[in-house]
Amino acid sequence: MTMLSEDQSSRAQPCMLSEPGKHITTSLQQYTIDHPGSAEDYMNSGESAVFGVAEPPRRSRGRLILHSLVMFGREFCYAVEAAFVTPVLLSVGLPRSLYSLVWLISPILGFLLQPIIGSASDYCRSPWGRRRPYILVLGIMMLIGMSMFLNGDAFISALVSDRSLKSVWAIVVVMFGVVLFDFAADFIDGPIKAYLFDVCSHSDKERGLHYHALFTVL
């Protein structure tokens, strides 16, 4: 009896299989929660995804144009900087020997910090997603930098009465505004394109990049 019971206990137990289609239904429900769109979009995009990851649903032309407007705003701010930075720097009395330094600081910061920020964006767990918090923060930094280099002289004149200190602080504020704007405008390009690649299908990525190029030219 003992040998018989040991034999029975060591005998392989039957494998318990899940109900047919149960995991598919669960996957569909989870996809519907995470990604807005119809079930048909999911099933159509998942035809080739049996051995891979389901492709995101198609995005409308209006959504792609709205996304490209971010690039339009970035390039518009770049045009404002190109038109006004040199006259502003001349008006605050910046020595000509420091002109190259103003344009050199931002590329150096980008070379050192862009890989770090890109990696942090990849692992971001914000409720807003991985890219949108960085796009928002860098956009605000662009506006702050533009306000500083366009209005830094007037701001310092309202706060400082000493003429020598006023000139020094105006140069510092304007230079810091230019560097901050360049830094944010250079860095925001990465999260914008990464967001497009994260949420769009292959064909929509091509369309989105075409709209980016169009609005950049505008």
Side-chain angles (χ1 to χ4, degrees), residues 94-107:
L94 181 71
R96 294 181 180 275
S97 59
L98 296 179
Y99 279 175
S100 58
L101 180 63
V102 174
W103 300 110
L104 185 63
I105 294 175
S106 179

Side-chain angles (χ1 to χ4, degrees), residues 120-134:
S121 172
D122 289 337
Y123 292 98
C124 179
R125 293 296 180 266
S126 169
W128 284 5
R130 294 189 296 171
R131 316 298 181 186
R132 280 179 284 187
Y134 288 87

Side-chain angles (χ1 to χ4, degrees), residues 31-74:
Y31 184 88
T32 306
I33 294 173
D34 293 341
H35 300 276
S38 63
E40 288 76 7
D41 291 336
Y42 174 77
M43 298 305 294
N44 292 335
S45 64
E47 289 177 356
S48 61
V50 177
F51 302 102
V53 180
E55 192 174 55
R58 295 292 301 273
R59 304 293 173 178
S60 65
R61 179 179 300 176
R63 295 289 295 273
L64 295 176
I65 291 176
L66 286 176
H67 182 266
S68 301
L69 287 176
V70 183
M71 295 296 292
F72 176 81
R74 171 180 177 263

Side-chain angles (χ1 to χ4, degrees), residues 194-206:
Y195 180 77
L196 176 71
F197 294 157
D198 287 346
V199 303
C200 291
S201 62
H202 179 71
S203 59
D204 285 342
K205 291 174 187 177
E206 294 183 353

